[in-house]
């Protein structure tokens, strides 16, 4: 009878072990599924965030070097750090545009409208600004050596720390009047006019 009881207890113990290993296997599979779902949600979240940030409206530096953009309309645009080197921009409209750090090196800006534009730290070296409208423009820190401003309208423009040739500075002083509405500086003071 002892041998029967011993066999019966062995079977019961074996079935308990089998049941436990089955439960353990089921638990492992469930845990793997849960972790797979969590990882999948995490990755989809990252993809969603990346897509959202990727489509954010950020200013991109654009290159218009040597382009012919006569009468082009860039008014109100954010063109920070863009380049218009040697571009023909005659009669183009840049009114109220953000042109901070833009390169207009040797560009033709004849009769261009730059009214109220932000030209801080822009490169205007060798640019042709003949008859350009610079009313209320911010040119603080701009590099304008060898730029030509013949007949330009500079009412209210701020030339603080702008590098100009002495002869161009004298020409501009003859035209200078007004106060910049953003900085509150007189145009004549920013040009160091006598």
């Amino acid at each position: 009878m002892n041998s029967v009881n011993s066999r019966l207890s062995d079977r019961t113990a074996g079935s308990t072990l089998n049941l436990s290993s089955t439960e353990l296997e089921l638990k492992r599979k469930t845990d793997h599924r849960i972790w797979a779902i969590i990882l999948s949600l995490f990755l989809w979240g990252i993809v969603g965030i990346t897509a959202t940030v990727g489509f954010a409206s950020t200013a991109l530096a654009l290159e218009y070097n040597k382009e012919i953009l006569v009468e082009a309309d860039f008014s109100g645009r954010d063109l920070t750090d863009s380049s218009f080197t040697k571009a023909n921009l005659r009669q183009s409209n840049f009114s109220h545009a953000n042109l901070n750090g833009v390169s207009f090196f040797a560009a033709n800006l004849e009769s261009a409208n730059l009214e109220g534009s932000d030209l801080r730290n822009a490169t205007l070296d060798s640019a042709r600004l003949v008859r350009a409208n610079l009313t209320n423009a911010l040119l603080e820190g701009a590099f304008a050596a060898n730029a030509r401003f013949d007949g330009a309208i500079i009412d209210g423009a701020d030339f603080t720390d702008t590098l100009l040739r002495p002869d161009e500075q004298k020409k501009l002083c003859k035209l200078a009047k007004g106060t910049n509405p953003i900085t509150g500086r007189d145009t004549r003071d920013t040009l160091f006019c006598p």
Side-chain angles (χ1 to χ4, degrees):
M1 182 91 146
N2 280 341
S3 73
V4 172
N5 282 341
S6 130
R7 283 187 209 155
L8 189 57
S9 75
D10 284 347
R11 281 186 188 168
T12 308
S15 67
T16 305
L17 284 175
N18 286 340
L19 185 60
S20 295
S21 66
T22 305
E23 286 177 348
L24 284 172
E25 187 62 32
L26 185 60
K27 184 170 175 18
R28 274 190 216 126
K29 285 181 180 179
T30 305
D31 287 347
H32 287 313
R33 285 185 190 141
I34 290 171
W35 282 109
I37 290 169
I38 290 170
L39 182 61
S40 175
L41 289 172
F42 177 72
L43 291 174
W44 276 112
I46 289 175
V47 167
I49 290 169
T50 303
T52 301
V53 171
F55 291 115
S57 61
T58 56
L60 297 175
L62 303 171
E63 286 194 18
Y64 295 99
N65 299 332
K66 298 181 181 179
E67 295 281 335
I68 298 172
L69 298 165
V70 175
E71 297 180 357
D73 186 6
F74 293 99
S75 60
R77 294 206 24 212
D78 187 349
L79 297 165
T80 303
D81 295 326
S82 294
S83 182
F84 293 88
T85 298
K86 297 183 179 178
N88 186 353
L89 300 161
R90 192 169 31 87
Q91 298 177 339
S92 292
N93 186 0
F94 288 96
S95 62
H96 306 285
N98 183 356
L99 304 170
N100 198 322
V102 169
S103 174
F104 284 114
F105 177 79
N108 180 7
L109 289 158
E110 182 180 344
S111 300
N113 183 2
L114 295 155
E115 181 177 352
S117 61
D118 182 351
L119 287 155
R120 287 177 294 168
N121 304 309
T123 301
L124 299 167
D125 188 32
S126 300
R128 190 166 189 258
L129 292 145
V130 175
R131 293 185 302 280
N133 181 0
L134 291 161
T135 303
N136 298 327
L138 280 174
L139 292 110
E140 189 173 351
F143 182 73
N146 297 317
R148 292 188 49 216
F149 292 92
D150 299 328
I153 303 166
I154 60 167
D155 299 352
D158 186 339
F159 286 90
T160 302
D161 298 328
T162 299
L163 183 62
L164 296 164
R165 278 189 354 221
D167 60 326
E168 286 298 318
Q169 181 183 6
K170 286 178 185 174
K171 282 184 206 174
L172 290 173
C173 280
K174 290 178 184 175
L175 305 168
K177 62 182 177 182
T179 302
N180 187 279
I182 295 169
T183 64
R185 299 180 189 130
D186 290 338
T187 301
R188 292 186 62 78
D189 292 344
T190 63
L191 286 166
F192 298 106
C193 297

